[in-house]
Amino acid sequence: MHWLCLLVSAIFVAACSAPKPAASTGSDRPMRIISLDYCADQYVLRLADREQILAVSPDAVKPFSYMRETAIGVAVVRPLAEDVLIMKPDLVVRSYGGGPNAAGFFERAGIPVLQVGWASSIHGEQVGAIPFLIQEMADGLGQSDRGRALVTDYRTQLAEIRESATEKTALYITPSGVTSGSGSLVHDAMLAAGLTNYLDKPGWHSLPLEGLAYERPDLVAASFFGTHSNHQSLWSAARHPVAQRELEAPVRVDLDGAWTSCGGWFIADAVKALSEGAAK
């Protein structure tokens, strides 16, 4: 019961002590931002001013965090209700941090929540497209101009990458032995690089070992190998001799896991790497 009393007390304090307004800026820009997971961290660290950031998640400095270097020196908070409430933020930013009920909980405590939307496409203006997501997050952080600049830079990067179709195929391989077909950002990145995805069905699937025994891709895109946070299990399809042969292919592109862990502007780095691999 002790932890319950502490939590109730924290909620009471948060509800009775309104966050300090973003005064002196003449705007509604939040000045005590907390992000609860590394997907949220990316947008907060890239778009918000340092003085706006109260704390980021413990994963902000991990190898799979694209903005890990920027996160060095920023205060860290666990995505636990009592830890967050006691810091009195004026905005909580989250993708999945805090669990499925976190958004409702913090809003009932009087703290606005900015939700990182699901990225479903690397192009376009529609909901779910990365340019839309960038601008939505920038607006919520009070940095609309910075968001527009990042969208422009992102589109410029993609436009500079060769997008003409080729006859080359690419297979995405992870330590878990899983690969991706259509409907994922990895698939979109392949297309943007002028490649055809070796896996011709939608969704995430185990490596097609039987097919690979007879027909090999022109290029292998390997991601998350060498990271300490994604170990191969003894039963992973990536350990199979056929998969190991592909990982030793002449044309292998190693994709930094931080480029694909979350949906954001950094997917352009993966597209560039794939395009350069296709040119070999």
Side-chain angles (χ1 to χ4, degrees):
M1 292 296 292
H2 179 65
W3 68 268
L4 182 59
C5 292
L6 289 175
L7 179 57
V8 172
S9 298
I11 295 174
F12 178 78
V13 170
C16 295
S17 303
K20 296 181 180 179
S24 78
T25 64
S27 70
D28 295 327
R29 181 177 294 172
M31 297 302 294
R32 295 178 62 82
I33 300 170
I34 285 180
S35 57
L36 298 185
D37 53 74
Y38 78 93
C39 287
D41 294 334
Q42 311 313 306
Y43 284 93
V44 170
L45 290 167
R46 177 63 178 79
L47 295 169
D49 292 328
R50 185 67 172 255
E51 56 265 29
Q52 287 183 265
I53 305 172
L54 189 59
V56 292
S57 84
D59 287 336
V61 295
K62 297 291 180 62
F64 48 78
S65 170
Y66 188 78
M67 298 295 295
R68 53 189 178 271
E69 293 185 3
T70 305
I72 296 173
V74 179
V76 170
V77 64
R78 297 179 300 171
L80 302 176
E82 56 269 35
D83 289 9
V84 173
L85 290 173
I86 202 168
M87 296 184 76
K88 299 182 182 180
D90 61 4
L91 180 68
V92 166
V93 185
R94 67 180 294 273
S95 173
Y96 57 87
N101 300 318
F105 175 86
F106 289 118
E107 287 172 348
R108 286 193 296 274
I111 303 171
V113 176
L114 179 61
Q115 184 73 37
V116 181
W118 176 257
S120 58
S121 173
I122 69 173
H123 294 293
E125 303 290 340
Q126 72 279 11
V127 175
I130 287 177
F132 177 92
L133 180 56
I134 292 171
Q135 195 59 55
E136 181 179 51
M137 296 302 296
D139 292 344
L141 295 169
Q143 297 286 358
S144 296
D145 290 345
R146 193 167 293 170
R148 283 188 282 271
L150 180 55
V151 168
T152 298
D153 181 63
Y154 170 74
R155 287 179 172 148
T156 299
Q157 288 184 66
L158 291 182
E160 291 175 348
I161 297 170
R162 178 177 53 81
E163 295 187 3
S164 58
T166 72
E167 296 182 357
K168 291 185 177 181
T169 58
L171 174 68
Y172 180 64
I173 300 181
T174 63
S176 60
V178 172
T179 187
S180 176
S182 59
S184 70
L185 294 182
V186 170
H187 175 81
D188 283 358
M190 290 182 182
L191 298 185
L195 292 160
T196 299
N197 195 340
Y198 179 90
L199 188 69
D200 60 356
K201 55 184 178 180
W204 294 83
H205 303 273
S206 295
L207 289 170
L209 298 175
E210 185 174 348
L212 288 170
Y214 298 98
E215 183 179 1
R216 304 180 64 181
D218 299 301
L219 179 152
V220 166
S223 189
F224 294 104
F225 288 90
T227 64
H228 298 295
S229 59
N230 199 333
H231 302 288
Q232 279 184 286
S233 74
L234 294 176
W235 299 101
S236 171
R239 289 184 177 273
H240 193 278
V242 170
Q244 289 295 307
R245 181 194 65 185
E246 295 307 319
L247 288 170
E248 297 172 1
V251 182
R252 168 175 164 168
V253 176
D254 286 293
L255 301 179
D256 188 329
W259 299 343
T260 58
S261 293
C262 291
W265 66 97
F266 29 85
I267 193 70
D269 289 3
V271 177
K272 181 179 179 181
L274 289 168
S275 178
E276 292 173 348
K280 292 181 180 178

